[in-house]
Amino acid sequence: MLLSTAWALVGDGSNLKPRTSYNMNSPKVIVSKSHAGKVKGFIEEAFGTTTVILPAGGAGYKVLALLDPSDEDIGKADMYIHVTFIKKWDICAGNGLLTALGGHMTTLKGEEIDYSGVAGNNGGLLASVKVDHQALVAKLPAWDSADKH
């Protein structure tokens, strides 16, 4: 994997860019490899059994997988979904990159992630770029954060 620095300033540019197209009919969804089993049924209920699930480590890496590849290891996912508790500091940089590129990272219910207060996010997350993010949220099955730790 190529080592490089990713940067973006909302309204001022980035050294990254979104890919030219994303597949929302039979998407490739990147997930945490430590929780791949927990998210499989959730994703298949939303997008069907032909959905490709890509387990990977590192929240930042999973966001980079949504973008134009700088090498063959990234640029393979159409969206990023996480259904268990995650520390906000693990996702804030990726959220900033997506925001600068016109993308979105929300809870699974489509709410903005609140970075104030507690250190963790219990609402799961959905990250996407260059697609109708709210349409993706609408496809997701009902989700209760109380049983997803």
Side-chain angles (χ1 to χ4, degrees):
M1 178 177 182
L2 178 67
L3 296 177
S4 64
T5 300
W7 65 267
L9 298 171
V10 176
D12 285 326
S14 174
N15 68 335
L16 303 170
K17 60 184 177 180
R19 294 195 316 270
T20 56
S21 66
Y22 293 83
N23 183 347
M24 293 300 109
N25 295 320
S26 183
K28 293 180 181 176
V29 181
I30 196 160
V31 301
S32 293
K33 64 181 167 185
S34 60
H35 302 110
K38 292 181 181 181
V39 73
K40 185 178 189 296
F42 181 84
I43 291 170
E44 288 180 349
E45 185 177 340
F47 303 104
T49 58
T50 61
T51 303
V52 176
I53 298 173
L54 305 168
Y61 175 84
K62 289 186 277 286
V63 168
L64 292 176
L66 303 178
L67 304 175
D68 193 35
S70 59
D71 68 51
E72 70 234 20
D73 288 339
I74 64 172
K76 297 179 179 177
D78 297 306
M79 70 185 80
Y80 166 25
I81 293 179
H82 191 91
V83 296
T84 59
F85 173 87
I86 192 167
K87 297 285 188 175
K88 292 176 186 175
W89 57 69
D90 287 335
I91 60 175
C92 63
N95 196 350
L97 286 171
L98 285 176
T99 299
L101 297 171
H104 302 278
M105 182 183 289
T106 65
T107 67
L108 294 172
K109 293 180 180 179
E111 302 159 342
E112 293 298 318
I113 296 170
D114 180 0
Y115 287 95
S116 65
V118 298
N121 172 40
N122 285 316
L125 75 81
L126 171 64
S128 68
V129 64
K130 284 196 80 167
V131 298
D132 183 343
H133 189 81
Q134 289 306 316
L136 292 178
V137 170
K139 286 185 166 190
L140 299 178
W143 186 85
D144 179 14
S145 64
D147 59 25
K148 307 290 191 250
H149 295 288

